[in-house]
Amino acid sequence: MRKNKLVAPVLKWVGGKRQLLDTFRPLLPKKITTYCEPFVGGGALLFHLQPNTAYINDINPELIRVYTVIKENVDELIEELEKFENTAEQFYAVRDWDRNKDYYLTLTDVQKAA
Ligand SMILES: C[S@@+](CC[C@H](N)C(=O)[O-])C[C@H]1O[C@@H](n2cnc3c(N)ncnc32)[C@H](O)[C@@H]1O
């Protein structure tokens, strides 16, 4: 399958492997049919390889929610993201959402992912 150059990690992730892709390249199998990534994080290698079939996992449920929403509900996610303003006030307001458990529980999966 041809690679889509627009496909890239959607999150900056601590410990991401994007800078190491050139080092990994010669170590990778020539053909990958099914890709399994048990610690996907930002998915640098996954999005670089763009395998036809991939199984991903991460211990972080919020991260997995983001990938699930992208897979199942990307249009709603984009609509939700478009509501954000690039201001300090918006940043601090959104950051407070998950510090207020009662409020956070009222959010939809799409709002949480956004
Ligand atoms: C450094 S990141 C992975 C980077 C990624 N593989 C890449 O290509 O950029 C490590 C990830 O492993 C996850 N993790 C740590 N312990 C785990 C565990 N026991 N089971 C599943 N995921 C785990 C963390 O939540 C984190 O997202």
Side-chain angles (χ1 to χ4, degrees):
M1 196 176 96
R2 214 196 204 134
K3 283 194 195 176
N4 181 338
K5 285 184 183 161
L6 297 175
V7 172
V10 293
L11 301 164
K12 277 192 188 266
W13 202 252
V14 175
K17 303 289 180 289
R18 215 187 297 205
Q19 318 293 332
L20 293 171
L21 291 175
D22 286 341
T23 308
F24 292 160
R25 207 167 278 118
L27 305 171
L28 295 168
K30 295 258 179 297
K31 186 169 183 240
I32 296 173
T33 46
T34 301
Y35 178 80
C36 299
E37 170 67 83
F39 312 101
V40 72
L45 191 56
L46 168 73
F47 294 119
H48 170 73
L49 292 171
Q50 298 179 28
N52 284 331
T53 306
Y55 296 94
I56 61 169
N57 177 66
D58 199 285
I59 202 168
N60 184 329
E62 298 292 332
L63 178 66
I64 293 300
R65 188 197 323 276
V66 169
Y67 289 128
T68 305
V69 167
I70 289 170
K71 182 177 156 198
E72 295 175 357
N73 240 334
V74 75
D75 292 334
E76 266 186 61
L77 177 62
I78 291 167
E79 268 175 44
E80 205 57 42
L81 289 168
E82 283 173 346
K83 292 179 191 167
F84 292 142
E85 291 163 24
N86 190 10
T87 63
E89 292 77 27
Q90 177 86 76
F91 171 81
Y92 289 115
V94 171
R95 194 183 66 171
D96 280 346
W97 289 358
D98 68 354
R99 295 177 176 191
N100 178 345
K101 228 181 178 67
D102 291 337
Y103 178 70
Y104 191 73
L105 290 173
T106 68
L107 299 175
T108 65
D109 278 355
V110 171
Q111 288 171 319
K112 289 173 185 167

